[in-house]
Amino acid sequence: MLTRHYLRFELRRLRRDPKFVVLTVAMPALLYLMFSTVGGPGAPGAGYAPDAVVMAGMACHGVLMVTVTNGVNIALDRNIGWVAQLRTTPLRATQIVIGKGVSGLLLSLLSLLAVFLIGGTAHGIRLSATQWLEIGAITWLGSLPFALLGMALGFLVSPTTSGPTVMACVIGMSALGGLWVPARLFPETLQHVSEALPTNHWVHLSQALLEGGASVMSELSDLAVLGGWTVGFALLAGFAFRREVSR
C-alpha cells in the first residue's frame, strides 16, 4: 500500500517538470525524425525494412534516455536531503528504490509511444498489431538493466556531475550500440565494440523481429548478454544503495 502511494507521488512530481517531459517525449521523437532516412537499403530477400528498423532503434533510445536520466533525479534528491527525509517516514529503503525505478519505467512509455506514433503516421510504417505489441514489449521490458544503471549512477555520482555522466552514458550506449544508426553500417572495429554493449543486443531483438530471419540461437544469445548486464548493473545498484544507506 505504501509503495503504491509513493509511486503515485513520484509520478506526480515528475509530471510537473516540463523539462523532463521535453527530454522524454520531444527529444527522442525529434532525433527519430533526423535519423529516419539513414537506414539505407536492406539486404536482398531478408525482409529488411529500413524505416521500421530505425524506428525500433530510436524507440530504444527514448526509453534508454528516460530510465538512465532517472538517476539524475535521485542524485538531486540526495543533494537537497529529500532521500534522507524519506527515510524518516514509514517507507522502507527498498520501497523508495522501487518507487523511483518503477516511476521511470512507466514514464518511459511516453517516449516509446511518441516514436511509434511518428513512425506510424509521418513515415507510414505498417506493422501488424502483434508486431507493434511485440516490439513495444521488447523495448520496454528490455530497459530493465538500464533502469538499474540509472539508479546506480544516481547513488554513486554527485549532483554536479550526475547530468554529464548520465548523458555520456546515454549518448555513448546509443551511438555505439546501434540505436541511432544500425550497427551494420559501422566500420568493422566499431562493430566489435558495439557487440559488447547491452544496447546492441537489446535493439537487435526488435530488428530481428522486423527482419523475420532471426534464429533461436541468436535470440538466446541476445537475451543471455542482456541478462548478464542486468545482473552486473543490479549488483552495482545494490552496492551504491548500501553505501548510501550506511552513511
Side-chain angles (χ1 to χ4, degrees):
M1 180 67 71
L2 281 176
T3 303
R4 185 171 70 250
H5 287 305
Y6 175 62
L7 175 58
R8 292 172 59 187
F9 173 75
E10 282 293 331
L11 290 173
R12 286 196 297 268
R13 285 183 68 205
L14 294 175
R15 188 180 58 193
R16 295 190 187 105
D17 187 352
K19 297 187 297 296
F20 190 80
V21 174
V22 170
L23 281 174
T24 56
V25 180
M27 187 62 70
L30 289 174
L31 283 173
Y32 172 43
L33 289 173
M34 291 171 54
F35 286 101
S36 57
T37 59
V38 180
Y48 205 89
D51 288 343
V53 168
V54 174
M55 182 193 70
M58 293 312 301
C60 286
H61 169 72
V63 173
L64 175 71
M65 180 179 288
V66 179
T67 52
V68 179
T69 303
N70 194 42
V72 175
N73 296 325
I74 295 175
L76 293 175
D77 284 349
R78 286 170 49 221
N79 186 49
I80 63 176
W82 179 241
V83 173
Q85 186 68 29
L86 284 174
R87 288 170 57 192
T88 65
T89 69
L91 284 167
R92 295 192 298 271
T94 53
Q95 291 175 310
I96 297 172
V97 172
I98 290 172
K100 290 283 187 183
V102 173
S103 63
L105 286 172
L106 290 177
L107 284 174
S108 69
L109 287 173
L110 293 176
S111 176
L112 177 63
L113 293 174
V115 172
F116 278 6
L117 181 62
I118 291 175
T121 56
H123 293 287
I125 294 174
R126 296 291 178 262
L127 301 175
S128 67
T130 300
Q131 285 178 309
W132 284 113
L133 289 174
E134 287 177 342
I135 294 173
I138 289 171
T139 303
W140 190 54
L141 297 177
S143 67
L144 176 59
F146 309 106
L148 292 169
L149 172 62
M151 292 169 63
L153 293 176
F155 286 116
L156 285 174
V157 300
S158 67
T160 55
T161 60
S162 61
T165 301
V166 166
M167 290 313 298
C169 287
V170 171
I171 292 172
M173 289 193 296
S174 292
L176 295 176
L179 304 190
W180 292 351
V181 178
R184 66 185 181 87
L185 301 178
F186 291 174
E188 185 176 353
T189 301
L190 278 183
Q191 287 187 29
H192 292 310
V193 174
S194 180
E195 288 172 0
L197 297 176
T199 41
N200 176 284
H201 297 270
W202 181 30
V203 74
H204 184 256
L205 288 169
S206 294
Q207 292 173 345
L209 177 65
L210 291 168
E211 292 172 356
S215 66
V216 174
M217 290 303 298
S218 175
E219 293 178 352
L220 289 176
S221 176
D222 289 331
L223 291 172
V225 173
L226 275 176
W229 278 99
T230 301
V231 172
F233 287 150
L235 293 174
L236 180 63
F239 164 77
F241 177 69
R242 287 193 299 271
R243 193 184 72 162
E244 178 68 21
V245 170
S246 65
R247 289 179 175 178

